[in-house]
Amino acid sequence: MSALTAPHLNRWLIRLHRPALFVWTVVLLGLGSALMCLWGPLADASAEAWQQHYACAPTGPCLYDQAAILRYKHIYDYATMAVLAVPFLVAAWTGAALIGRELEQRTAQLAWTQGLTPTRWLLSKLTLPAALVTAGTGLLVLLHHGMWWASEGRIGSAKSWYDPPTFYAGGPITVALALAGLFAGAFAGVLLRRSLAALGAAVVAVGALWAGVHQALPHLWTPVTGVSSLESDLPVGNGVDVSTGLLTADGERLPDPFCGSTINPQCERLYDRLGAVSWYHDYHPLSHYWPLQLTASAIVLAVAALLALAAFRVTAVRTRGLS
């Protein structure tokens, strides 16, 4: 039987996973079109409706295109969730179809008998998907980022930049997570060798990684501190929250008792008893957007590299006699 080379395998993979390529293309075209509409006509219609709303008299009937506002809001939410779902879909497909099923049905072992080593087989399986996942997810993230910035200051119901779904869907963290999902699926596939088990493990791994990044994000960069009077209900400063509380005259930080401003006599007595003189708020302003994005992305890419290394290591150990 003739040897199966990497180029032959690539052509075979394209034929084998043609349905997945078709679905990925449909996802990119459909979701990309939705994001472009949010960037253009849907944003324009919503912005015009908000201008009509702002121009309404305080009394009397107010006529504005509420449907345009709600349409933009709903499509924005759905499109954002779809972008955020990509890393999970990549992990599920890689664990179940790309790697797990091949080992479970022993078609991978057949390839290994035709002149292709297990490690080269795994490399060939992952190279093209990694390129397609990076390019496709990167395109969606760029469109989402541009779409959000186009709405800033024009649409009253637009999400803030630090809204978690908006923050992640419009930045490179999601691209890094998609790659991590690919390699998590590969690792789960070669480790478990069962499609459904690998699917579940890969999806759980992406969820755990994302949760860890979200918890660590506020601490990946040095925050700024805003100080404000206790006459305010809340500390000043909008952005990614790190911590809030009370400051005493000697600079000691106290936890927020969630009482409110000193306009309330009960709160004023409480703050006097604690010796508090002002609020403090540690947070990340808009200027920290890219430092947070890039630092978190680097961490996720490092985890993705470790998952890829683990997948190749497990493959090499389990097939040592075949290499």
Side-chain angles (χ1 to χ4, degrees):
M1 189 176 291
S2 61
L4 183 63
T5 63
H8 291 153
L9 180 60
N10 283 333
R11 289 194 292 269
W12 176 70
L13 285 173
I14 291 174
R15 291 196 300 269
L16 180 64
H17 296 292
R18 190 174 297 164
L21 289 172
F22 175 78
V23 170
W24 183 234
T25 302
V26 170
V27 168
L28 291 180
L29 291 175
L31 187 51
S33 298
L35 292 170
M36 290 296 291
C37 288
L38 286 168
W39 194 336
L42 292 176
D44 293 340
S46 181
E48 183 178 353
W50 276 104
Q51 289 300 319
Q52 296 168 355
H53 176 72
Y54 295 143
C56 287
T59 60
C62 182
L63 299 178
Y64 64 98
D65 191 356
Q66 186 180 37
I69 293 175
L70 295 177
R71 188 182 307 115
Y72 178 89
K73 178 181 181 300
H74 293 155
I75 296 178
Y76 180 95
D77 290 340
Y78 295 144
T80 300
M81 291 300 108
V83 173
L84 297 179
V86 167
F88 296 97
L89 296 176
V90 170
W93 175 74
T94 307
L98 186 65
I99 303 297
R101 186 177 63 187
E102 298 296 306
L103 291 169
E104 186 176 22
Q105 297 180 350
R106 304 191 65 81
T107 53
Q109 290 83 337
L110 177 62
W112 301 342
T113 65
Q114 298 183 44
L116 196 64
T117 65
T119 52
R120 284 186 62 199
W121 166 84
L122 183 59
L123 180 62
S124 297
K125 295 280 282 185
L126 294 177
T127 301
L128 181 60
L132 293 176
V133 165
T134 301
T137 310
L139 174 62
L140 295 178
V141 163
L142 283 173
L143 289 175
H144 193 285
H145 185 81
M147 173 271 296
W148 182 86
W149 279 105
S151 70
E152 177 68 0
R154 301 173 59 208
I155 298 174
S157 57
K159 301 291 186 179
S160 61
W161 70 269
Y162 51 87
D163 170 67
T166 297
F167 179 84
Y168 290 114
I173 297 176
T174 297
V175 182
L177 282 166
L179 278 174
L182 179 75
F183 296 129
F187 177 53
V190 299
L191 182 66
L192 302 175
R193 298 194 171 199
R194 296 180 64 85
S195 57
L196 289 179
L199 182 155
V203 169
V204 169
V206 171
L209 178 58
W210 206 329
V213 169
H214 183 64
Q215 290 298 317
L217 184 74
H219 311 288
L220 298 180
W221 203 257
T222 304
V224 301
T225 300
V227 178
S228 55
S229 169
L230 291 175
E231 294 180 357
S232 305
D233 288 328
L234 296 171
V236 298
N238 292 321
V240 177
D241 291 328
V242 179
S243 64
T244 59
L246 300 170
L247 277 177
T248 64
D250 57 4
E252 181 184 359
R253 293 188 168 195
L254 303 175
D256 186 355
F258 300 102
C259 184
S261 72
T262 53
I263 296 176
N264 183 334
Q266 184 177 0
C267 295
E268 185 176 20
R269 289 192 295 270
L270 172 63
Y271 298 150
D272 287 342
R273 187 164 64 252
L274 294 173
V277 295
S278 61
W279 295 109
Y280 81 87
H281 183 197
D282 292 337
Y283 68 102
H284 296 284
L286 180 59
S287 60
H288 289 192
Y289 178 87
W290 285 112
L292 291 174
Q293 284 277 358
L294 295 177
T295 304
S297 298
I299 293 172
V300 175
L301 287 175
V303 174
L306 291 175
L307 289 169
L309 181 63
F312 280 99
R313 180 61 179 167
V314 170
T315 300
V317 168
R318 289 192 169 182
T319 60
R320 186 167 293 163
L322 301 175
S323 301

